[in-house]
């Protein structure tokens, strides 16, 4: 299966295939993070092609960054699951959620942290706690 993306700002067309290696998929997702706006349908198409739920944690982490950046609410259950099951990789995502200015995303961060803080590595737990404190002060 292939997917065609048209970059809104550059009016470029890119054809993607699900046959990418994990490192190539990470690179693709990192490049997509630089795109100012991706429509929900584009994000849904990406997930249909790459089946991110079956990818390794590093690929899923980049996918979750896109989900957070573009507030793709259809993937919020997967985001919760990722934060709960990949605690060490989630610190950056917690920051994105906490400082997003989006109430739904802030709630996800609070709920997931509440569920996982006891099992977290102490430095990660402290960093996330500090993010919550700083966000509440601003």
């Amino acid at each position: 299966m292939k997917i065609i993306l048209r970059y809104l700002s550059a009016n470029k067309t890119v054809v993607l295939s699900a046959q990418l290696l994990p490192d190539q998929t990470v690179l693709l997702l990192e490049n997509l993070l630089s795109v100012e706006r991706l429509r929900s349908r584009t994000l849904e198409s990406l997930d249909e092609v790459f089946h991110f739920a079956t990818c390794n944690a590093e690929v899923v982490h980049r996918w979750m960054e896109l989900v957070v950046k573009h507030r793709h609410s259809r993937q919020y259950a997967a985001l919760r699951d990722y934060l709960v099951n990949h605690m060490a990789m989630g610190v950056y995502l917690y920051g994105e959620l906490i400082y997003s200015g989006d109430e739904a995303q802030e709630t996800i961060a609070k709920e997931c942290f509440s569920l996982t803080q006891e099992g977290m590595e102490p430095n990660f737990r402290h960093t996330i706690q500090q993010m919550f404190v700083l966000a509440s002060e601003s």
Side-chain angles (χ1 to χ4, degrees):
M1 183 188 305
K2 292 183 181 180
I3 182 172
I4 298 175
L5 291 179
R6 178 154 291 154
Y7 285 85
L8 298 176
S9 60
N11 203 19
K12 295 179 186 172
T13 300
V14 180
V15 177
L16 305 175
S17 169
Q19 305 304 317
L20 297 178
L21 296 172
D23 288 344
Q24 293 170 316
T25 306
V26 166
L27 183 58
L28 167 70
L29 295 173
E30 286 176 353
N31 283 317
L32 288 174
L33 281 166
S34 68
V35 176
E36 188 66 31
R37 180 172 169 246
L38 290 174
R39 297 173 191 258
S40 288
R41 182 64 196 132
T42 302
L43 294 167
E44 290 167 17
S45 295
L46 282 167
D47 192 35
E48 288 170 13
V49 170
F50 291 98
H51 307 283
F52 292 114
T54 64
C55 292
N56 70 36
E58 190 175 348
V59 171
V60 177
H61 186 274
R62 295 314 187 291
W63 170 239
M64 290 298 121
E65 287 182 54
L66 278 172
V67 166
V68 171
K69 178 179 179 179
H70 298 289
R71 298 180 180 179
H72 187 49
S73 60
R74 291 183 180 166
Q75 288 290 319
Y76 282 178
L79 176 60
R80 283 184 182 91
D81 183 65
Y82 184 80
L83 289 171
V84 168
N85 292 305
H86 299 280
M87 288 183 266
M89 295 192 72
V91 174
Y92 175 81
L93 288 172
Y94 273 104
E96 293 296 308
L97 292 166
I98 292 166
Y99 295 114
S100 69
D102 182 85
E103 189 175 326
Q105 289 189 359
E106 291 170 20
T107 299
I108 290 169
K110 289 174 187 172
E111 290 172 353
C112 291
F113 185 70
S114 175
L115 290 171
T116 60
Q117 65 180 324
E118 295 302 319
M120 272 186 187
E121 199 273 339
N123 289 332
F124 293 150
R125 182 175 53 244
H126 177 72
T127 298
I128 295 167
Q129 287 170 331
Q130 288 303 112
M131 285 189 264
F132 279 120
V133 169
L134 292 172
S136 69
E137 293 174 353
S138 53

